[in-house]
Amino acid sequence: MEIIHLILGKANPDRMNGVNKVVYQLASRQAISGKKVSVWGITKDLTHNYGKRAFNTRLFQASKNPFGLDKELTKALLELEEDAIVHLHGGWIPTYATLGRFMRKNRIPFVLTPHGAYNTVAMQRNRVVKKLYFELFEKSLLIGSRKVHSLGESEVSGLNEMFSNTKTMKLPYGFESPALTDPVSAPTREFVVGFVGRLDVHTKGLDTLMEAFESFLFKNPDAKLWIVGDGEGRATLEKAIAQNGLEENVVMWGGRFGEEKDELMRQMTVFAHPSRNEGLPVAVLEAAAMGIPSVVT
């Protein structure tokens, strides 16, 4: 059997995208165990700019039309062997609606992992728009899928509110954590509250983190908040830091990866992850592996 992981992106673990990290590790483990596996990425940039990997990667051009499909992608799907299965990753993705119809029409089996996109809290955001989109597009995708892989009970419940079904499977995905280490410890070091992740202010709860840290500073004026990551919310955070005079206490590190990111994490006194909704937060698992106490929602 051939397994095709199909994602938006390139399954590059050195990106602020948990789905890409998880797919990279899943495909790597499957390849190492002898499975015939590859990752197909839909991307604007067709450059193969990532490190060495154990599996094959094919890139297809993202369309300007969010529902559009690259002709090379449809051609590649039709050339698959009969025993191949496609594994879609992510939810509420317009191009997947088109893909789902195409694969269903051509009897290409596929499964879907929404990676937390259907959990109860996520379903409440933009509820009216999502309900309309669901009836027009997402529902057809779910009907056509062989199985829907949910990460936790809240995702099963959220999906069942809109789509009662028997094909949902609840199964946490695996994650290869870094080697167990101790955080840097020195009696005189600063008290550092740390966050690592994509800078989506609402979803990641970064507005509440900033508010809480300001209150914390009244009793701990020398404390620092380290924000490691990048994303569309960076400008909003930088504006809030300037408006509240927090330039001396809040450090925006930007995107950091690999050992550089791990070294920053080891210096954190407490790891904070105040997300409003999540699939399975990779950064929290990394902090736990390093022995850093975490404050999470």
Side-chain angles (χ1 to χ4, degrees):
M1 180 179 73
E2 181 178 9
I3 304 167
I4 307 295
H5 294 286
L6 206 156
I7 64 170
L8 300 187
K10 305 176 184 179
N12 190 339
D14 291 337
R15 291 291 183 270
M16 286 294 164
N17 184 306
V19 174
N20 274 255
K21 291 180 180 180
V22 169
V23 172
Y24 170 81
Q25 293 187 357
L26 177 58
S28 295
R29 285 297 173 184
Q30 288 174 331
I32 292 169
S33 68
K35 300 290 191 298
K36 185 179 181 182
V37 59
S38 58
V39 170
W40 293 7
I42 299 174
T43 176
K44 293 180 181 178
D45 176 16
L46 298 179
T47 307
H48 290 266
N49 51 350
Y50 43 75
K52 186 178 179 181
R53 45 184 54 180
F55 53 86
N56 183 47
T57 305
R58 296 183 66 176
L59 302 180
F60 300 92
Q61 187 67 55
S63 173
K64 292 182 179 179
N65 176 357
F67 290 92
L69 288 180
D70 183 1
K71 291 181 179 179
E72 291 299 315
L73 174 55
T74 55
K75 179 182 176 183
L77 287 168
L78 292 174
E79 292 173 350
L80 289 174
E81 299 291 337
E82 287 187 4
D83 65 346
I85 187 164
V86 177
H87 191 159
L88 299 177
H89 294 271
W92 308 110
I93 299 173
T95 192
Y96 283 6
T98 310
L99 263 173
R101 286 196 299 270
F102 178 83
M103 289 191 287
R104 192 178 180 186
K105 177 182 177 181
N106 291 282
R107 298 184 179 181
I108 300 170
F110 66 93
V111 297
L112 172 67
T113 301
H115 291 272
Y118 298 151
N119 77 39
T120 306
V121 177
M123 295 288 268
Q124 294 298 323
R125 192 178 185 190
N126 300 319
R127 185 174 179 83
V128 174
V129 174
K130 280 185 175 176
K131 188 173 182 179
L132 178 61
Y133 180 92
F134 185 87
E135 291 299 327
L136 293 174
F137 306 109
E138 203 79 359
K139 187 175 182 178
S140 177
L141 176 67
L142 291 165
I143 290 172
S145 67
R146 293 288 180 91
K147 293 291 182 181
V148 180
H149 167 211
S150 294
L151 304 179
E153 191 59 43
S154 67
E155 186 162 51
V156 175
S157 300
L159 178 56
N160 278 335
E161 288 182 11
M162 283 189 167
F163 182 69
S164 181
N165 69 95
T166 58
K167 63 177 65 179
T168 300
M169 296 181 64
K170 184 177 70 173
L171 179 69
Y173 47 50
F175 171 72
E176 185 176 350
S177 64
L180 288 170
T181 61
D182 291 325
V184 175
S185 58
T188 58
R189 73 185 182 101
E190 297 174 319
F191 191 103
V192 178
V193 179
F195 169 86
V196 178
R198 179 169 49 89
L199 302 189
D200 180 330
V201 174
H202 178 83
T203 300
K204 298 297 183 182
L206 295 175
D207 51 340
T208 62
L209 177 60
M210 292 290 291
E211 183 179 348
F213 182 70
E214 281 192 77
S215 298
F216 186 68
L217 283 177
F218 284 114
K219 292 185 177 181
N220 303 272
D222 296 325
K224 304 293 184 185
L225 173 60
W226 288 4
I227 298 177
V228 182
D230 219 331
E232 59 186 19
R234 178 168 186 144
T236 300
L237 292 172
E238 289 175 338
K239 183 178 179 180
I241 291 167
Q243 287 178 339
N244 294 287
L246 297 174
E247 294 92 337
E248 296 298 319
N249 296 90
V250 181
V251 181
M252 299 284 290
W253 287 97
R256 295 291 187 274
F257 306 99
E259 182 56 34
E260 188 177 11
K261 179 202 68 181
D262 292 346
E263 183 59 30
L264 288 174
M265 290 184 69
R266 292 188 190 102
Q267 298 177 63
M268 295 174 182
T269 314
V270 173
F271 186 84
H273 198 83
S275 288
R276 288 183 167 88
N277 64 276
E278 278 287 354
L280 185 65
V282 170
V284 174
L285 300 181
E286 292 176 332
M290 295 178 186
I292 305 166
S294 296
V295 178
V296 303
T297 47

